[in-house]
Amino acid sequence: MLDFIKKSLFMGLGAVMVTYEKAEQLVDELIKRGELAIDDRSDAIKDLVKKAEEQEKILSDKINTEVSKVIDKIGITTKKELERLEEKIDELKKKIG
């Protein structure tokens, strides 16, 4: 269930991401309309992609925080917690056996 929630949220995140090709298209459109000089094309593309990556990171962090809050609130056991319990069970088996 947790994986489904994360995958769903990240699919939405992917829809927001600006790819290099999309940045090129946007910049080329600005050049056609005379809103950007052709000499600034390369820098404008790099800036758009960089800003998109920064926004992606911020959104990803927020999603992870919110998913963690939901997990804590509804009491879902995490993989890490299960692994810790398995280790304790193995330790107890060794002591007994």
Side-chain angles (χ1 to χ4, degrees):
M1 181 174 166
L2 173 62
D3 285 338
F4 174 75
I5 293 169
K6 280 189 174 181
K7 285 178 184 176
S8 297
L9 292 171
F10 283 116
M11 282 179 17
L13 175 64
V16 176
M17 285 184 3
V18 175
T19 62
Y20 190 83
E21 291 90 16
K22 295 282 184 189
E24 283 181 318
Q25 291 172 358
L26 179 60
V27 168
D28 287 344
E29 183 62 31
L30 291 172
I31 291 170
K32 283 181 191 175
R33 291 191 294 191
E35 297 177 33
L36 184 69
I38 197 159
D39 294 341
D40 296 329
R41 183 180 188 274
S42 179
D43 288 339
I45 292 170
K46 287 177 189 173
D47 284 347
L48 278 174
V49 171
K50 182 180 176 187
K51 286 178 183 174
E53 288 171 351
E54 290 169 356
Q55 291 301 313
E56 175 188 359
K57 172 76 171 112
I58 291 168
L59 185 55
S60 176
D61 290 345
K62 285 181 181 181
I63 288 171
N64 283 328
T65 300
E66 292 304 314
V67 168
S68 294
K69 286 180 185 177
V70 169
I71 289 170
D72 289 343
K73 188 173 185 176
I74 61 177
I76 295 176
T77 304
T78 64
K79 184 176 180 179
K80 188 181 285 187
E81 291 169 331
L82 287 175
E83 289 171 352
R84 190 170 51 239
L85 286 173
E86 288 174 351
E87 288 174 6
K88 286 185 178 186
I89 291 169
D90 289 343
E91 288 174 15
L92 289 172
K93 283 181 181 177
K94 288 178 185 176
K95 287 181 182 178
I96 293 172

Coordinates of all heavy atoms in Angstrom, one line a residue:
M1 N 0.8 -1.2 0.0 CA 0.0 0.0 0.0 C 0.9 1.3 0.0 O 0.6 2.2 -0.7 CB -0.9 0.0 1.2 CG -1.8 1.2 1.3 SD -3.0 1.0 2.6 CE -3.6 2.7 2.7
L2 N 1.9 1.2 0.8 CA 2.8 2.4 0.9 C 3.5 2.6 -0.4 O 3.5 3.8 -0.9 CB 3.9 2.1 2.0 CG 5.0 3.2 2.1 CD1 4.4 4.5 2.4 CD2 6.0 2.8 3.1
D3 N 3.9 1.5 -1.1 CA 4.5 1.7 -2.4 C 3.6 2.3 -3.4 O 3.9 3.1 -4.2 CB 5.1 0.4 -2.9 CG 6.3 -0.1 -2.2 OD1 7.0 0.8 -1.7 OD2 6.6 -1.3 -2.2
F4 N 2.3 1.9 -3.3 CA 1.3 2.4 -4.2 C 1.1 3.9 -4.0 O 1.1 4.7 -5.0 CB 0.0 1.7 -4.0 CG -1.2 2.3 -4.8 CD1 -1.3 2.1 -6.2 CD2 -2.1 3.1 -4.2 CE1 -2.3 2.7 -6.9 CE2 -3.2 3.7 -4.9 CZ -3.2 3.4 -6.3
I5 N 1.1 4.3 -2.8 CA 0.9 5.7 -2.5 C 2.1 6.5 -3.0 O 1.9 7.5 -3.7 CB 0.8 6.0 -0.9 CG1 -0.6 5.4 -0.4 CG2 0.8 7.5 -0.6 CD1 -0.7 5.3 1.1
K6 N 3.3 6.0 -2.7 CA 4.5 6.7 -3.2 C 4.5 6.8 -4.7 O 4.8 7.8 -5.3 CB 5.8 6.1 -2.6 CG 6.1 6.5 -1.2 CD 7.4 5.9 -0.9 CE 7.9 6.4 0.5 NZ 9.2 5.9 0.9
K7 N 4.3 5.7 -5.4 CA 4.3 5.6 -6.8 C 3.3 6.6 -7.4 O 3.6 7.3 -8.4 CB 4.0 4.2 -7.3 CG 5.2 3.3 -7.1 CD 4.9 1.9 -7.6 CE 6.1 1.0 -7.3 NZ 5.8 -0.4 -7.7
S8 N 2.1 6.7 -6.8 CA 1.1 7.6 -7.3 C 1.5 9.0 -7.2 O 1.4 9.8 -8.1 CB -0.2 7.4 -6.5 OG -0.7 6.1 -6.7
L9 N 2.1 9.4 -6.0 CA 2.5 10.7 -5.8 C 3.7 11.1 -6.8 O 3.8 12.2 -7.3 CB 2.9 10.9 -4.4 CG 1.8 10.9 -3.4 CD1 2.3 10.8 -1.9 CD2 0.8 12.0 -3.6
F10 N 4.6 10.1 -7.0 CA 5.7 10.4 -7.8 C 5.4 10.5 -9.3 O 6.0 11.2 -10.1 CB 6.9 9.4 -7.6 CG 7.7 9.7 -6.3 CD1 7.7 8.8 -5.3 CD2 8.4 10.9 -6.2 CE1 8.4 9.1 -4.1 CE2 9.0 11.2 -5.0 CZ 9.1 10.3 -4.0
M11 N 4.3 9.8 -9.7 CA 3.8 9.9 -11.0 C 3.3 11.3 -11.3 O 3.5 11.9 -12.3 CB 2.7 8.9 -11.3 CG 3.2 7.5 -11.6 SD 2.0 6.2 -11.9 CE 0.5 7.0 -12.3
G12 N 2.6 11.9 -10.3 CA 2.2 13.3 -10.3 C 3.4 14.2 -10.4 O 3.4 15.2 -11.1
L13 N 4.4 13.9 -9.7 CA 5.6 14.7 -9.7 C 6.3 14.6 -11.1 O 6.7 15.7 -11.6 CB 6.6 14.1 -8.6 CG 8.0 14.7 -8.6 CD1 7.9 16.2 -8.1 CD2 8.9 13.9 -7.6
G14 N 6.3 13.5 -11.7 CA 6.8 13.4 -13.0 C 6.1 14.2 -14.0 O 6.7 14.7 -15.0
A15 N 4.8 14.4 -13.8 CA 4.1 15.3 -14.7 C 4.5 16.7 -14.6 O 4.3 17.5 -15.6 CB 2.6 15.1 -14.4
V16 N 5.1 17.1 -13.5 CA 5.5 18.5 -13.3 C 6.9 18.8 -13.8 O 7.2 19.9 -14.1 CB 5.4 18.8 -11.8 CG1 5.8 20.2 -11.5 CG2 3.9 18.6 -11.3
M17 N 7.7 17.7 -13.8 CA 9.1 17.9 -14.2 C 9.2 18.5 -15.6 O 8.5 18.2 -16.5 CB 9.8 16.5 -14.1 CG 10.1 16.1 -12.8 SD 11.1 14.5 -12.7 CE 11.5 14.1 -14.3
V18 N 10.2 19.3 -15.7 CA 10.6 19.9 -17.0 C 11.8 19.1 -17.5 O 12.8 19.1 -16.9 CB 10.9 21.4 -16.9 CG1 11.3 22.0 -18.2 CG2 9.7 22.2 -16.4
T19 N 11.5 18.5 -18.7 CA 12.6 17.8 -19.3 C 13.5 18.8 -20.1 O 13.0 19.9 -20.4 CB 12.1 16.7 -20.2 OG1 11.4 17.3 -21.3 CG2 11.3 15.7 -19.5
Y20 N 14.6 18.3 -20.5 CA 15.5 19.2 -21.3 C 14.8 19.6 -22.6 O 14.9 20.7 -23.0 CB 16.8 18.5 -21.6 CG 17.9 19.4 -22.2 CD1 18.6 20.2 -21.4 CD2 18.0 19.4 -23.6 CE1 19.6 21.0 -22.0 CE2 19.0 20.2 -24.2 CZ 19.8 21.0 -23.4 OH 20.7 21.9 -23.9
E21 N 14.1 18.6 -23.2 CA 13.4 18.9 -24.5 C 12.3 19.9 -24.3 O 12.1 20.8 -25.1 CB 12.8 17.6 -25.1 CG 13.8 16.6 -25.6 CD 14.3 15.6 -24.5 OE1 13.6 15.5 -23.5 OE2 15.3 15.0 -24.7
K22 N 11.6 19.8 -23.2 CA 10.5 20.8 -22.9 C 11.1 22.1 -22.7 O 10.5 23.1 -23.1 CB 9.7 20.3 -21.7 CG 8.9 19.1 -21.9 CD 7.7 19.3 -22.7 CE 6.9 18.0 -22.7 NZ 5.8 18.1 -23.6
A23 N 12.2 22.2 -22.0 CA 12.9 23.5 -21.7 C 13.3 24.1 -23.1 O 13.1 25.3 -23.3 CB 14.1 23.3 -20.8
E24 N 13.8 23.3 -24.0 CA 14.2 23.8 -25.3 C 13.0 24.3 -26.0 O 13.1 25.4 -26.6 CB 14.9 22.6 -26.1 CG 16.3 22.3 -25.7 CD 16.8 21.2 -26.6 OE1 16.1 20.2 -26.9 OE2 18.0 21.3 -27.0
Q25 N 11.9 23.6 -26.0 CA 10.7 24.1 -26.7 C 10.2 25.4 -26.1 O 9.9 26.3 -26.9 CB 9.6 23.0 -26.6 CG 9.9 21.8 -27.3 CD 8.8 20.7 -27.0 OE1 8.0 20.9 -26.2 NE2 9.0 19.5 -27.7
L26 N 10.2 25.5 -24.8 CA 9.8 26.8 -24.2 C 10.7 27.9 -24.6 O 10.2 29.0 -25.0 CB 9.7 26.6 -22.7 CG 9.3 27.8 -21.9 CD1 7.9 28.3 -22.3 CD2 9.3 27.5 -20.4
V27 N 12.0 27.7 -24.5 CA 13.0 28.8 -24.8 C 12.9 29.1 -26.3 O 12.9 30.3 -26.6 CB 14.4 28.3 -24.4 CG1 15.4 29.3 -25.0 CG2 14.5 28.2 -22.9
D28 N 12.7 28.1 -27.2 CA 12.6 28.4 -28.6 C 11.3 29.2 -28.9 O 11.4 30.1 -29.7 CB 12.6 27.1 -29.4 CG 14.0 26.5 -29.4 OD1 15.0 27.2 -29.1 OD2 14.0 25.3 -29.8
E29 N 10.3 29.0 -28.2 CA 9.0 29.7 -28.3 C 9.3 31.2 -27.9 O 8.8 32.1 -28.5 CB 7.9 29.1 -27.5 CG 6.6 29.8 -27.7 CD 6.1 29.8 -29.1 OE1 6.3 28.8 -29.9 OE2 5.4 30.7 -29.5
L30 N 10.0 31.4 -26.8 CA 10.3 32.7 -26.3 C 11.1 33.5 -27.3 O 10.9 34.7 -27.5 CB 11.0 32.7 -24.9 CG 10.1 32.2 -23.8 CD1 11.0 32.0 -22.5 CD2 9.0 33.2 -23.5
I31 N 12.1 32.8 -27.9 CA 12.9 33.4 -29.0 C 12.1 33.8 -30.2 O 12.2 34.9 -30.7 CB 14.1 32.5 -29.4 CG1 15.0 32.3 -28.2 CG2 14.8 33.0 -30.6 CD1 16.1 31.2 -28.4
K32 N 11.2 32.9 -30.6 CA 10.3 33.2 -31.7 C 9.4 34.5 -31.5 O 9.2 35.3 -32.4 CB 9.3 32.1 -32.0 CG 10.0 30.9 -32.8 CD 9.0 29.8 -33.0 CE 9.6 28.6 -33.5 NZ 8.7 27.5 -33.6
R33 N 9.0 34.6 -30.2 CA 8.1 35.8 -29.9 C 8.9 37.0 -29.6 O 8.4 38.1 -29.3 CB 7.3 35.4 -28.7 CG 6.2 34.4 -29.0 CD 5.2 34.2 -27.9 NE 5.9 33.7 -26.7 CZ 5.2 33.3 -25.6 NH1 3.9 33.3 -25.6 NH2 5.9 32.8 -24.6
G34 N 10.2 36.9 -29.7 CA 11.1 38.0 -29.4 C 11.3 38.4 -28.0 O 11.8 39.5 -27.6
E35 N 10.9 37.5 -27.1 CA 11.0 37.8 -25.6 C 12.4 37.3 -25.1 O 12.7 37.6 -23.9 CB 9.9 37.1 -24.9 CG 8.5 37.6 -25.3 CD 7.4 36.9 -24.6 OE1 7.6 36.4 -23.5 OE2 6.3 36.7 -25.3
L36 N 13.2 36.7 -25.9 CA 14.5 36.2 -25.5 C 15.5 36.2 -26.6 O 15.1 35.9 -27.8 CB 14.4 34.8 -24.9 CG 15.6 34.1 -24.3 CD1 16.0 34.8 -23.0 CD2 15.4 32.6 -24.1
A37 N 16.7 36.7 -26.4 CA 17.7 36.7 -27.4 C 18.2 35.3 -27.7 O 18.4 34.5 -26.8 CB 18.8 37.7 -27.0
I38 N 18.5 35.0 -29.0 CA 19.0 33.7 -29.3 C 20.4 33.4 -28.6 O 20.7 32.3 -28.3 CB 19.1 33.6 -30.9 CG1 19.3 32.1 -31.2 CG2 20.3 34.4 -31.4 CD1 18.9 31.7 -32.6
D39 N 21.1 34.4 -28.3 CA 22.4 34.3 -27.6 C 22.2 33.7 -26.2 O 23.1 33.1 -25.6 CB 23.2 35.6 -27.6 CG 23.6 36.1 -28.9 OD1 23.6 35.2 -29.9 OD2 23.9 37.3 -29.1
D40 N 21.0 34.0 -25.6 CA 20.7 33.5 -24.3 C 20.1 32.2 -24.2 O 19.7 31.7 -23.1 CB 19.8 34.5 -23.6 CG 20.4 35.9 -23.5 OD1 21.7 36.0 -23.3 OD2 19.7 36.9 -23.5
R41 N 19.9 31.5 -25.4 CA 19.2 30.2 -25.4 C 19.8 29.2 -24.5 O 19.1 28.6 -23.7 CB 19.2 29.7 -26.9 CG 18.4 28.4 -27.1 CD 18.5 27.9 -28.5 NE 17.6 26.8 -28.7 CZ 17.9 25.6 -28.6 NH1 19.1 25.2 -28.1 NH2 17.0 24.6 -28.8
S42 N 21.1 28.9 -24.6 CA 21.7 27.9 -23.8 C 21.6 28.1 -22.3 O 21.2 27.2 -21.6 CB 23.2 27.8 -24.2 OG 23.8 26.8 -23.4
D43 N 21.9 29.3 -21.9 CA 21.8 29.7 -20.5 C 20.3 29.6 -20.0 O 20.1 29.1 -18.8 CB 22.3 31.1 -20.2 CG 23.8 31.1 -20.3 OD1 24.5 30.1 -20.2 OD2 24.3 32.3 -20.5
A44 N 19.4 30.0 -20.8 CA 18.0 29.9 -20.4 C 17.5 28.5 -20.2 O 16.8 28.2 -19.3 CB 17.1 30.6 -21.4
I45 N 18.0 27.6 -21.1 CA 17.6 26.2 -21.0 C 18.2 25.6 -19.7 O 17.5 24.9 -19.0 CB 18.1 25.4 -22.3 CG1 17.3 25.8 -23.5 CG2 17.9 23.9 -22.0 CD1 17.8 25.3 -24.8
K46 N 19.5 25.9 -19.5 CA 20.1 25.4 -18.3 C 19.4 25.9 -17.0 O 19.2 25.1 -16.1 CB 21.6 25.8 -18.2 CG 22.4 25.0 -19.2 CD 23.9 25.5 -19.2 CE 24.7 24.9 -20.4 NZ 26.0 25.5 -20.5
D47 N 19.0 27.1 -17.0 CA 18.3 27.7 -15.9 C 17.0 27.0 -15.6 O 16.6 26.7 -14.5 CB 18.1 29.2 -16.0 CG 19.4 30.0 -15.8 OD1 20.4 29.5 -15.3 OD2 19.4 31.2 -16.2
L48 N 16.2 26.8 -16.7 CA 14.9 26.2 -16.6 C 15.0 24.8 -16.0 O 14.3 24.4 -15.1 CB 14.2 26.1 -17.9 CG 13.5 27.4 -18.4 CD1 12.9 27.2 -19.8 CD2 12.3 27.7 -17.4
V49 N 16.0 24.0 -16.6 CA 16.2 22.6 -16.1 C 16.6 22.6 -14.6 O 16.2 21.8 -13.8 CB 17.2 21.9 -17.0 CG1 17.6 20.5 -16.4 CG2 16.6 21.7 -18.4
K50 N 17.6 23.5 -14.3 CA 18.1 23.6 -12.9 C 16.9 23.9 -11.9 O 16.8 23.3 -10.9 CB 19.2 24.6 -12.8 CG 19.8 24.7 -11.4 CD 20.8 25.8 -11.3 CE 21.4 25.9 -9.9 NZ 22.3 27.0 -9.7
K51 N 16.1 24.9 -12.3 CA 15.0 25.3 -11.4 C 14.0 24.2 -11.3 O 13.4 23.9 -10.2 CB 14.3 26.6 -11.9 CG 15.2 27.8 -11.7 CD 14.6 29.1 -12.2 CE 15.5 30.2 -12.0 NZ 15.1 31.5 -12.6
A52 N 13.7 23.5 -12.4 CA 12.8 22.3 -12.4 C 13.3 21.2 -11.4 O 12.6 20.6 -10.7 CB 12.6 21.8 -13.8
E53 N 14.6 21.0 -11.5 CA 15.2 20.0 -10.6 C 15.2 20.4 -9.2 O 14.9 19.5 -8.3 CB 16.7 19.7 -11.0 CG 16.8 19.0 -12.4 CD 18.2 18.9 -12.9 OE1 19.1 19.6 -12.3 OE2 18.5 18.2 -13.9
E54 N 15.4 21.7 -8.9 CA 15.3 22.1 -7.5 C 13.8 22.0 -7.0 O 13.6 21.6 -5.9 CB 15.7 23.6 -7.5 CG 17.2 23.8 -7.7 CD 17.5 25.3 -7.8 OE1 16.6 26.2 -7.9 OE2 18.8 25.6 -8.0
Q55 N 12.8 22.3 -7.9 CA 11.4 22.2 -7.5 C 11.1 20.7 -7.3 O 10.3 20.4 -6.4 CB 10.5 22.9 -8.5 CG 10.6 24.4 -8.5 CD 10.3 25.0 -7.2 OE1 9.3 24.7 -6.6 NE2 11.1 25.9 -6.7
E56 N 11.6 19.9 -8.1 CA 11.4 18.4 -8.0 C 11.9 17.9 -6.6 O 11.2 17.2 -6.0 CB 12.1 17.7 -9.1 CG 11.9 16.2 -9.0 CD 12.8 15.4 -10.0 OE1 13.5 16.1 -10.8 OE2 12.8 14.2 -10.0
K57 N 13.0 18.4 -6.3 CA 13.6 17.9 -5.0 C 12.8 18.4 -3.8 O 12.5 17.7 -2.9 CB 15.1 18.5 -4.9 CG 15.7 18.3 -3.5 CD 16.2 16.9 -3.3 CE 17.0 16.8 -2.0 NZ 16.4 16.1 -1.0
I58 N 12.3 19.7 -3.9 CA 11.5 20.2 -2.8 C 10.2 19.5 -2.7 O 9.8 19.1 -1.6 CB 11.2 21.7 -3.0 CG1 12.5 22.5 -2.8 CG2 10.1 22.3 -2.2 CD1 12.4 24.0 -3.3
L59 N 9.6 19.2 -3.8 CA 8.3 18.5 -3.9 C 8.5 17.0 -3.4 O 7.7 16.5 -2.6 CB 7.7 18.5 -5.3 CG 6.3 17.9 -5.4 CD1 5.3 18.5 -4.5 CD2 5.8 18.1 -6.9
S60 N 9.5 16.4 -3.8 CA 9.8 15.0 -3.4 C 10.0 15.0 -1.9 O 9.5 14.1 -1.2 CB 11.1 14.6 -4.1 OG 11.5 13.3 -3.6
D61 N 10.7 15.9 -1.3 CA 10.9 16.0 0.2 C 9.6 16.1 0.9 O 9.3 15.5 1.9 CB 11.9 17.1 0.6 CG 13.3 16.8 0.1 OD1 13.6 15.6 -0.2 OD2 14.2 17.7 0.1
K62 N 8.8 17.0 0.3 CA 7.4 17.2 1.0 C 6.6 16.0 0.9 O 5.9 15.6 1.9 CB 6.7 18.4 0.3 CG 7.3 19.7 0.7 CD 6.5 20.9 0.0 CE 7.1 22.2 0.4 NZ 6.4 23.3 -0.3
I63 N 6.6 15.3 -0.2 CA 5.9 14.1 -0.4 C 6.3 13.0 0.6 O 5.5 12.4 1.3 CB 6.0 13.5 -1.8 CG1 5.2 14.4 -2.8 CG2 5.5 12.1 -1.9 CD1 5.4 14.1 -4.3
N64 N 7.6 12.8 0.7 CA 8.2 11.9 1.7 C 7.8 12.2 3.1 O 7.4 11.3 3.9 CB 9.7 11.8 1.6 CG 10.1 11.0 0.3 OD1 9.4 10.1 -0.1 ND2 11.3 11.3 -0.2
T65 N 7.8 13.5 3.5 CA 7.4 13.9 4.8 C 5.9 13.6 5.1 O 5.6 13.0 6.1 CB 7.7 15.4 5.0 OG1 9.1 15.6 4.8 CG2 7.3 15.9 6.4
E66 N 5.1 13.9 4.1 CA 3.7 13.7 4.3 C 3.3 12.2 4.3 O 2.5 11.8 5.1 CB 2.9 14.4 3.2 CG 2.9 15.9 3.3 CD 2.5 16.5 4.6 OE1 1.4 16.0 5.2 OE2 3.2 17.3 5.2
V67 N 4.0 11.4 3.5 CA 3.7 10.0 3.5 C 4.1 9.4 4.8 O 3.4 8.6 5.4 CB 4.4 9.3 2.3 CG1 4.4 7.8 2.5 CG2 3.8 9.6 1.0
S68 N 5.3 9.8 5.3 CA 5.7 9.4 6.7 C 4.7 9.7 7.8 O 4.5 8.9 8.7 CB 7.1 10.0 7.0 OG 8.1 9.5 6.1
K69 N 4.2 10.9 7.7 CA 3.2 11.4 8.7 C 1.9 10.5 8.6 O 1.4 10.1 9.6 CB 2.7 12.8 8.4 CG 3.8 13.8 8.9 CD 3.2 15.2 8.6 CE 4.3 16.3 8.9 NZ 3.8 17.6 8.5
V70 N 1.5 10.1 7.4 CA 0.3 9.3 7.2 C 0.6 7.9 7.8 O -0.2 7.3 8.5 CB -0.1 9.2 5.7 CG1 -1.1 8.1 5.5 CG2 -0.6 10.6 5.2
I71 N 1.8 7.4 7.5 CA 2.2 6.0 8.0 C 2.2 6.0 9.5 O 1.6 5.1 10.1 CB 3.6 5.6 7.5 CG1 3.5 5.3 6.0 CG2 4.1 4.4 8.2 CD1 4.8 5.2 5.3
D72 N 2.7 7.0 10.1 CA 2.7 7.1 11.6 C 1.3 7.2 12.1 O 1.0 6.6 13.1 CB 3.6 8.3 12.0 CG 5.1 8.1 11.8 OD1 5.5 7.0 11.7 OD2 5.8 9.1 11.9
K73 N 0.5 8.0 11.5 CA -0.9 8.3 11.9 C -1.7 7.0 11.9 O -2.5 6.8 12.8 CB -1.5 9.4 11.1 CG -2.8 9.9 11.6 CD -3.3 11.1 10.9 CE -4.6 11.6 11.5 NZ -5.1 12.8 10.8
I74 N -1.6 6.3 10.8 CA -2.5 5.1 10.7 C -1.8 3.8 11.2 O -2.4 2.8 11.3 CB -3.0 4.9 9.2 CG1 -1.8 4.6 8.3 CG2 -3.8 6.0 8.8 CD1 -2.3 4.4 6.8
G75 N -0.6 3.9 11.6 CA 0.1 2.8 12.3 C 0.6 1.7 11.4 O 0.6 0.6 11.9
I76 N 1.0 2.0 10.2 CA 1.5 1.0 9.3 C 2.9 0.7 9.7 O 3.7 1.6 10.0 CB 1.5 1.4 7.8 CG1 0.1 1.6 7.4 CG2 2.2 0.4 7.0 CD1 0.0 2.2 6.0
T77 N 3.2 -0.6 9.8 CA 4.6 -1.1 10.1 C 5.5 -0.9 8.9 O 5.1 -1.3 7.8 CB 4.6 -2.5 10.6 OG1 3.7 -2.7 11.7 CG2 6.0 -3.0 11.0
T78 N 6.6 -0.3 9.1 CA 7.6 0.0 8.0 C 8.5 -1.2 7.8 O 8.6 -2.1 8.7 CB 8.4 1.2 8.3 OG1 9.3 1.0 9.4 CG2 7.6 2.5 8.5
K79 N 9.1 -1.3 6.7 CA 10.0 -2.4 6.3 C 11.2 -2.4 7.3 O 11.6 -3.4 7.8 CB 10.5 -2.2 4.9 CG 11.4 -3.3 4.4 CD 11.8 -3.1 3.0 CE 12.7 -4.2 2.5 NZ 13.1 -4.1 1.1
K80 N 11.6 -1.2 7.7 CA 12.7 -1.1 8.6 C 12.4 -1.7 10.0 O 13.2 -2.4 10.6 CB 13.2 0.4 8.8 CG 14.4 0.6 9.6 CD 14.8 2.0 9.7 CE 15.3 2.6 8.4 NZ 15.8 4.0 8.6
E81 N 11.1 -1.4 10.4 CA 10.7 -2.0 11.7 C 10.6 -3.5 11.6 O 11.0 -4.2 12.6 CB 9.3 -1.4 12.1 CG 9.4 0.1 12.5 CD 8.1 0.8 12.6 OE1 7.1 0.3 11.9 OE2 8.0 1.7 13.4
L82 N 10.1 -4.0 10.5 CA 10.0 -5.5 10.3 C 11.4 -6.1 10.3 O 11.6 -7.2 10.9 CB 9.2 -5.8 9.0 CG 7.7 -5.6 9.1 CD1 7.1 -5.8 7.7 CD2 7.1 -6.5 10.1
E83 N 12.3 -5.5 9.7 CA 13.7 -6.0 9.6 C 14.3 -6.1 11.0 O 15.0 -7.0 11.4 CB 14.5 -5.2 8.7 CG 14.2 -5.4 7.2 CD 14.9 -4.5 6.3 OE1 15.5 -3.5 6.7 OE2 14.8 -4.7 5.0
R84 N 14.0 -5.0 11.8 CA 14.5 -5.0 13.2 C 13.9 -6.1 14.0 O 14.6 -6.8 14.8 CB 14.2 -3.6 13.8 CG 15.0 -3.3 15.1 CD 14.9 -1.9 15.6 NE 13.5 -1.4 15.6 CZ 13.1 -0.3 14.9 NH1 13.9 0.4 14.2 NH2 11.8 0.1 15.0
L85 N 12.6 -6.3 13.8 CA 12.0 -7.4 14.6 C 12.5 -8.8 14.1 O 12.7 -9.7 15.0 CB 10.5 -7.4 14.3 CG 9.7 -6.3 15.1 CD1 8.3 -6.3 14.6 CD2 9.8 -6.5 16.6
E86 N 12.8 -9.0 12.8 CA 13.3 -10.2 12.4 C 14.7 -10.5 13.0 O 15.1 -11.6 13.3 CB 13.4 -10.2 10.8 CG 12.1 -10.4 10.2 CD 12.1 -10.2 8.7 OE1 13.2 -9.8 8.1 OE2 11.1 -10.5 8.0
E87 N 15.5 -9.4 13.1 CA 16.8 -9.5 13.7 C 16.7 -10.0 15.2 O 17.5 -10.8 15.6 CB 17.6 -8.2 13.6 CG 18.1 -7.9 12.2 CD 18.7 -6.5 12.1 OE1 18.9 -5.8 13.1 OE2 19.0 -6.1 11.0
K88 N 15.8 -9.4 15.9 CA 15.6 -9.7 17.3 C 15.1 -11.2 17.4 O 15.6 -11.9 18.3 CB 14.6 -8.8 17.9 CG 15.1 -7.4 18.2 CD 14.1 -6.6 19.0 CE 14.8 -5.2 19.3 NZ 13.9 -4.4 20.1
I89 N 14.2 -11.6 16.5 CA 13.8 -13.0 16.5 C 14.9 -14.0 16.2 O 15.1 -15.0 16.9 CB 12.6 -13.2 15.5 CG1 11.4 -12.5 15.9 CG2 12.4 -14.7 15.2 CD1 10.3 -12.4 14.9
D90 N 15.8 -13.6 15.3 CA 17.0 -14.4 15.0 C 17.9 -14.5 16.2 O 18.4 -15.6 16.5 CB 17.7 -13.9 13.8 CG 17.0 -14.1 12.5 OD1 16.1 -15.0 12.4 OD2 17.3 -13.4 11.5
E91 N 18.1 -13.4 16.9 CA 18.9 -13.4 18.1 C 18.4 -14.3 19.2 O 19.1 -15.1 19.8 CB 19.1 -12.0 18.6 CG 19.9 -11.1 17.8 CD 19.9 -9.6 18.3 OE1 19.5 -9.4 19.5 OE2 20.4 -8.7 17.5
L92 N 17.0 -14.2 19.4 CA 16.4 -15.1 20.4 C 16.5 -16.6 20.0 O 16.7 -17.4 20.9 CB 14.9 -14.7 20.5 CG 14.7 -13.3 21.2 CD1 13.2 -12.9 21.1 CD2 15.1 -13.4 22.7
K93 N 16.3 -16.9 18.7 CA 16.4 -18.3 18.2 C 17.8 -18.8 18.6 O 18.0 -20.0 19.0 CB 16.2 -18.4 16.7 CG 14.7 -18.3 16.4 CD 14.6 -18.4 14.8 CE 13.2 -18.4 14.4 NZ 13.0 -18.4 12.9
K94 N 18.9 -18.0 18.3 CA 20.2 -18.4 18.6 C 20.4 -18.7 20.1 O 21.1 -19.6 20.5 CB 21.2 -17.3 18.1 CG 21.4 -17.3 16.6 CD 22.3 -16.2 16.2 CE 22.3 -16.1 14.7 NZ 23.2 -15.0 14.2
K95 N 19.9 -17.8 21.0 CA 20.0 -18.0 22.4 C 19.3 -19.2 22.9 O 19.8 -19.9 23.7 CB 19.4 -16.8 23.1 CG 20.3 -15.5 23.0 CD 19.7 -14.4 23.8 CE 20.6 -13.2 23.7 NZ 20.0 -12.0 24.4
I96 N 18.1 -19.5 22.3 CA 17.3 -20.7 22.7 C 18.0 -22.0 22.1 O 18.1 -23.0 22.8 CB 15.9 -20.6 22.2 CG1 15.2 -19.5 22.9 CG2 15.1 -21.9 22.4 CD1 13.8 -19.2 22.4
G97 N 18.4 -21.9 20.8 CA 18.9 -23.1 20.2 C 20.3 -23.3 20.4 O 20.9 -24.3 20.5

